[in-house]
Amino acid sequence: MRDLASNIGAVAALAPAVQSAAASGAAIDTQGFGSVAFLLSTGAIVSDGDFGVKVQESDTDVSGDFTDADAGVVDTTAPETLAATSVYKLGYRGFKRYVRLALTKAGGTSIAAGAVAILGNAAQRPVA
């Protein structure tokens, strides 16, 4: 069996927490990698929390420079409204250097959520 752990990068994309408002995750620098995917994990939802998630992209790591990635470059298993105690995959096929997740809120009280960015196709291996 091949060693996957030495060939990928893993970065905290959205700190695990109970989210009661829309939130932007960390800017993920994809330099040195040919692909990126996010794993979003949810926990309890309080008072019919209606939260969603989207991928954003930018040429810089400045928060105000991020825009929503076009649906054509995002592959996702996440529904419009996230469910409790679930795991979703979001893949990005665009060409911007920086990407991040944005948690959206349409209603309700809160959701427990966290995410990790998995960086693949490393230019240099093994990945530290």
Side-chain angles (χ1 to χ4, degrees):
M1 178 170 291
R2 296 182 187 248
D3 174 27
L4 178 62
S6 296
N7 294 305
I8 61 171
V11 181
L14 184 65
V18 174
Q19 307 287 346
S20 59
S24 295
I28 307 300
D29 188 351
T30 64
Q31 186 172 32
F33 294 90
S35 59
V36 62
F38 296 92
L39 294 177
L40 173 71
S41 179
T42 62
I45 293 176
V46 176
S47 298
D48 296 321
D50 185 358
F51 288 81
V53 65
K54 57 187 173 182
V55 176
Q56 295 184 322
E57 61 186 4
S58 177
D59 289 320
T60 74
D61 63 353
V62 176
S63 184
D65 291 347
F66 281 84
T67 59
D68 295 350
D70 184 82
V73 298
V74 176
D75 299 310
T76 181
T77 62
E80 266 190 56
T81 298
L82 302 174
T85 317
S86 299
V87 175
Y88 303 106
K89 296 186 295 185
L90 296 100
Y92 174 73
R93 292 182 283 112
F95 296 99
K96 300 287 185 173
R97 178 172 172 181
Y98 296 92
V99 293
R100 72 179 183 187
L101 289 183
L103 194 63
T104 62
K105 180 181 178 184
T109 302
S110 66
I111 187 171
V116 173
I118 307 297
L119 297 154
N121 299 312
Q124 293 190 2
R125 297 177 206 156
V127 176

